[in-house]
Amino acid sequence: MDLALLTPSVRGPGGLAHDSRSGVEALYSTGYWLLARDRVADAAKVFRVMLHASPRDERGWLGLGECHERSGQHHIALQLYGAGSVVAESGVRCLVARAQALRKVDLSEEADEALDQAERLAADRNDDDLVQLVVLARGTKKP
Amino acid sequence: MNAVAPVRQGPPAVPPPPPAVAPADAPVLPLPAPGSLPDDPLSFLYLFESRDRQLGVEDGSKKLIALQGERHAELRKEQDAIRQAVDAEQQHGFWDGLGDVFGQIAKVAAVVASVAAAVATAGAAAPLAAIAIGGAVLSSAALVDGELHVLQKLGVDAKTAGIVDMGMSIGGAVSSVGAGIAAGARATSAATTVLERGGAVVAGLGQVGKGVSTIEAGCAQARDDQAAADQIASRGRSEHLQRMILLLLDSTRGSDEQSGAIEKTIVSAKTIQNDTMAGVTSMKG
């Protein structure tokens, strides 16, 4: 498969040609499917390609970060979530993932700051689902 | 007959306490879109594995230098073409096409950032194209400089052009963050600082990409903004990046194929930008 086919087209009026978007969706679905079956190494390959194809799609960063977290590489996951929160069009989920990863390495204050930032972004976007995600993440804080 | 001593019955073993159940993380990965999963996801996966097997071993340093040289030459040609198109354009409508240019730049910046992330997570076991990716990251800085000069000659004020430059340098900043992996926890706080600044820049980049109404014609150069942009760009080309690339060259294999794919992406974005501006020129001329 030519990688260029997966690159979001810049010619369409909406910025994405149908074929490229469906390719990206197929990539994400495949990666998600592999993660659900604990095939972490395979899922990482797929999410890396997804990053090349659609770098502003937050899910690629989240997926690859999840792969590294499951491998115990929390610091690499933190780098990915941080980059995703900057590059992706909506960085709320990456900020939440980053907060949860920060807790795992005992950086609670930074985790709370990341959640505060996520809450502000979610409120700015008027996205109830994202706001609920932040609330849920706060509720899973370690005692 | 051997006498066997009876087994002493010790005190009943105390069962270990149940393992503490860590509170489950909030699910951040959204569900895939219905119907998007390929009919045979394993075949989809085999495609990627076969691509990995095609990667061969290359001479890293020479390839990297050659890639940089090619991209510099290519950029100069495109700058000339853009300058010619601008010279011919006299109508205000030209700026409408320029808005699309920023969109292309944002896309290239995003590609560079993703490439840097892929390098950081590749590891020794994944045969990604370290050479090509390193070259793409380095050449993005050259692309940034080229765009800046062009934009300023188009009459874009330096502050706006500086925002574009800083946005492009996110790729370099992210990749230098990746070099901090070996530094452990210290890398996290350093990354936070870089990426938080990058967050403000990307917000600005998004505003630029939304429309050209904020672009003001003029030739004044904001030295302070330019200095800040140069600072971030130079951080992206820091020694950390160089050392990371050399480490990856030692431990991973390179690929002409990956280099070509990434190069095509960047070149196609620039070509479309050039076509757009030339098209606007011919419509208005």
Side-chain angles (χ1 to χ4, degrees):
Chain A
M1 180 184 298
D2 186 355
L3 188 65
L5 291 177
L6 297 178
T7 304
S9 167
V10 298
R11 299 177 192 271
L16 278 177
H18 172 74
D19 288 343
S20 295
R21 187 186 285 278
S22 64
V24 171
E25 291 302 320
L27 280 169
Y28 178 69
S29 298
T30 303
Y32 191 96
W33 184 87
L34 289 164
L35 265 182
R37 284 150 183 78
D38 285 331
R39 295 181 62 166
V40 175
D42 293 335
K45 291 181 188 178
V46 175
F47 285 125
R48 279 193 204 109
V49 177
M50 184 177 171
L51 278 184
H52 279 285
S54 186
R56 294 178 74 84
D57 190 328
E58 192 179 25
R59 297 172 299 173
W61 300 93
L62 288 169
L64 189 55
E66 173 73 16
C67 291
H68 282 277
E69 281 207 83
R70 291 199 191 186
S71 303
Q73 297 168 327
H74 298 289
H75 288 294
I76 294 181
L78 276 170
Q79 308 276 0
L80 290 165
Y81 296 144
S85 66
V86 169
V87 176
E89 290 179 356
S90 165
V92 177
R93 291 178 183 272
C94 280
L95 284 168
V96 171
R98 183 163 177 268
Q100 293 178 152
L102 282 167
R103 282 191 197 139
K104 289 170 189 165
V105 294
D106 294 325
L107 292 173
S108 301
E109 285 187 15
E110 287 85 344
D112 290 339
E113 287 172 10
L115 282 176
D116 292 340
Q117 190 178 356
E119 188 172 15
R120 284 195 296 273
L121 276 176
D124 287 345
R125 294 171 64 88
N126 291 320
D127 191 321
D128 292 336
D129 290 340
L130 290 178
V131 170
Q132 285 303 314
L133 178 65
V134 177
V135 168
L136 188 62
R138 286 194 196 278
T140 59
K141 183 176 179 179
K142 289 182 188 175
Chain B
M1 180 172 138
N2 293 329
V4 178
V7 175
R8 288 182 180 271
Q9 293 286 340
V14 177
V21 178
D25 285 340
V28 290
L29 277 172
L31 290 172
S36 60
L37 185 65
D39 291 336
D40 186 359
L42 290 181
S43 295
F44 211 60
L45 174 63
Y46 294 151
L47 275 173
F48 304 131
E49 290 181 341
S50 65
R51 279 180 65 81
D52 279 348
R53 283 194 290 272
Q54 288 167 13
L55 300 179
V57 179
E58 301 287 344
D59 184 348
S61 301
K62 289 180 185 174
K63 206 68 182 171
L64 185 60
I65 293 168
L67 282 172
Q68 281 181 278
E70 285 172 16
R71 290 187 179 119
H72 280 298
E74 196 168 28
L75 180 60
R76 277 195 294 274
K77 286 181 194 172
E78 293 186 8
Q79 284 178 342
D80 289 339
I82 292 171
R83 199 173 295 118
Q84 287 170 10
V86 169
D87 287 341
E89 176 57 48
Q90 299 297 326
Q91 299 296 326
H92 176 72
F94 169 78
W95 295 105
D96 293 333
L98 195 60
D100 196 38
V101 169
F102 289 112
Q104 310 313 318
I105 294 171
K107 285 183 172 65
V108 175
V111 167
V112 169
S114 75
V115 162
V119 168
T121 65
L128 283 179
I131 301 159
I133 290 171
V137 171
L138 289 176
S139 70
S140 71
L143 187 68
V144 170
D145 287 341
E147 289 296 332
L148 253 189
H149 295 152
V150 173
L151 290 172
Q152 287 172 356
K153 287 183 181 176
L154 291 177
V156 175
D157 67 284
K159 184 172 183 179
T160 305
I163 289 175
V164 173
D165 183 29
M166 283 191 279
M168 290 293 291
S169 297
I170 285 176
V174 170
S175 62
S176 68
V177 160
I181 287 171
R186 288 180 293 128
T188 303
S189 56
T192 303
T193 305
V194 171
L195 292 171
E196 281 174 353
R197 288 193 68 185
V201 168
V202 168
L205 192 68
Q207 290 170 5
V208 169
K210 280 179 184 173
V212 294
S213 58
T214 59
I215 299 175
E216 299 174 359
C219 299
Q221 183 170 353
R223 289 180 183 269
D224 289 345
D225 288 337
Q226 184 63 51
D230 286 343
Q231 204 171 23
I232 294 181
S234 66
R235 189 183 300 135
R237 296 190 214 100
S238 68
E239 290 185 358
H240 274 296
L241 176 60
Q242 297 287 349
R243 282 199 289 273
M244 184 181 77
I245 292 173
L246 288 173
L247 273 172
L248 288 168
L249 290 174
D250 288 338
S251 62
T252 64
R253 294 173 289 170
S255 165
D256 272 341
E257 197 174 11
Q258 286 275 7
S259 170
I262 293 169
E263 186 174 2
K264 276 184 195 171
T265 302
I266 296 176
V267 168
S268 67
K270 287 294 296 171
T271 302
I272 289 166
Q273 165 193 338
N274 193 27
D275 288 343
T276 303
M277 295 174 72
V280 172
T281 302
S282 64
M283 280 168 55
K284 298 291 182 181

